[in-house]
Amino acid sequence: MLLVTEGRGRINQLGFDKKTSEYVFIHRGKEIWREKGDNSLLDYFNNLRATYSCIDEEAVNKFPIWNKYVKDCDKYE
C-alpha cells in the first residue's frame, strides 16, 4: 500500500492499494473504509512532495475521496 497522506501524529492515514485501486482510510492503525478510485489523488500528493509544495485547498477539494477523508478525520478526532 502507498501512503497518500497522514494527519498529525499518524492518527489518521490515507493510503492507496495499487492491487485493488482502492483508497484506504486508517485510524489509529485500524482500517475504517476502502473506496475504489483512480490514482489522481495519489498523483496530486506525490507531486506536492516532489515539489515541496503546500496543499491547494481549492484543487484538492475537487477529489471526492479527499472530502470523505477530511470528514472522517474530523469525526474520529
Side-chain angles (χ1 to χ4, degrees):
M1 183 161 346
L2 303 170
L3 180 66
V4 178
T5 190
E6 62 187 356
R8 208 174 341 189
R10 297 181 182 170
I11 293 172
N12 297 311
Q13 297 175 315
L14 183 64
F16 184 75
D17 187 337
K18 287 181 73 170
K19 292 179 184 176
T20 61
S21 295
E22 293 175 315
Y23 286 92
V24 182
F25 175 64
I26 299 167
H27 175 72
R28 295 190 185 272
K30 182 180 176 186
E31 183 177 312
I32 304 298
W33 54 256
R34 287 179 169 257
E35 188 161 324
K36 284 277 190 191
D38 62 19
N39 61 346
S40 57
L41 182 61
L42 173 65
D43 292 343
Y44 175 80
F45 275 92
N46 283 339
N47 184 55
L48 286 180
R49 284 188 282 274
T51 59
Y52 300 100
S53 300
C54 295
I55 293 175
D56 177 349
E57 291 294 329
E58 192 172 307
V60 79
N61 283 334
K62 294 177 183 175
F63 297 103
I65 297 286
W66 174 255
N67 293 321
K68 184 175 181 175
Y69 169 72
V70 169
K71 185 185 222 180
D72 281 354
C73 285
D74 291 342
K75 179 173 126 181
Y76 285 97
E77 297 228 359

